[in-house]
Amino acid sequence: MADFFLLPPRFSFAVRGGDQLRLLFFALVALVISSLAKKKSEADKVADERRAQLAAVVESSEDAIFNKTLDGTVLTWNRAAQEMYGYNQEEMMAEMSRPGPAGKGR
């Protein structure tokens, strides 16, 4: 313990002139990155809210709304489509996956 108080330190936290510039540059880059991350987070939140609103509009619509791939596979199916066609979403997807004319063109 005596050597801690009697011997000069080998390392110090003294900052040289060139190091100050590097430290300042690092701090600025860190601020820019954190600002961009915050803006992206806010944009993601707004996009999620808009997606939820659109989903609510589609689900509450009295019109049959569904989307499907270019090959005819149904991806989503709202409540009005269930009532109009008589299939819930799981049944419709099973119907579309069956081979033959019943699964095509619905």
Side-chain angles (χ1 to χ4, degrees), residues 10-17 19-20 23:
R10 285 188 262 169
F11 304 103
S12 69
F13 292 106
V15 180
R16 294 176 289 169
D19 290 342
Q20 287 178 346
L23 186 59

Side-chain angles (χ1 to χ4, degrees), residues 25-40:
F25 181 72
F26 174 78
L28 289 174
V29 169
L31 285 173
V32 168
I33 290 172
S34 67
S35 174
L36 291 174
K38 183 178 179 182
K39 286 182 182 178
K40 184 180 182 314

Side-chain angles (χ1 to χ4, degrees), residues 18-95:
D19 290 342
Q20 287 178 346
L21 184 60
R22 288 184 186 130
L23 186 59
L24 179 63
F25 181 72
F26 174 78
L28 289 174
V29 169
L31 285 173
V32 168
I33 290 172
S34 67
S35 174
L36 291 174
K38 183 178 179 182
K39 286 182 182 178
K40 184 180 182 314
S41 174
E42 291 170 357
D44 286 345
K45 183 179 177 183
V46 169
D48 287 342
E49 289 173 0
R50 288 184 181 163
R51 242 181 257 114
Q53 290 172 348
L54 182 59
V57 167
V58 168
E59 191 57 38
S60 66
S61 174
E62 293 180 9
D63 296 322
I65 301 173
F66 58 93
N67 69 332
K68 56 185 181 175
T69 61
L70 294 175
D71 66 353
T73 304
V74 174
L75 299 174
T76 59
W77 183 263
N78 74 345
R79 192 175 314 131
Q82 289 178 19
E83 293 171 7
M84 183 178 290
Y85 294 105
Y87 294 105
N88 65 26
Q89 187 166 359
E90 292 79 22
E91 291 170 337
M92 183 58 187
M93 294 176 82
E95 177 73 20

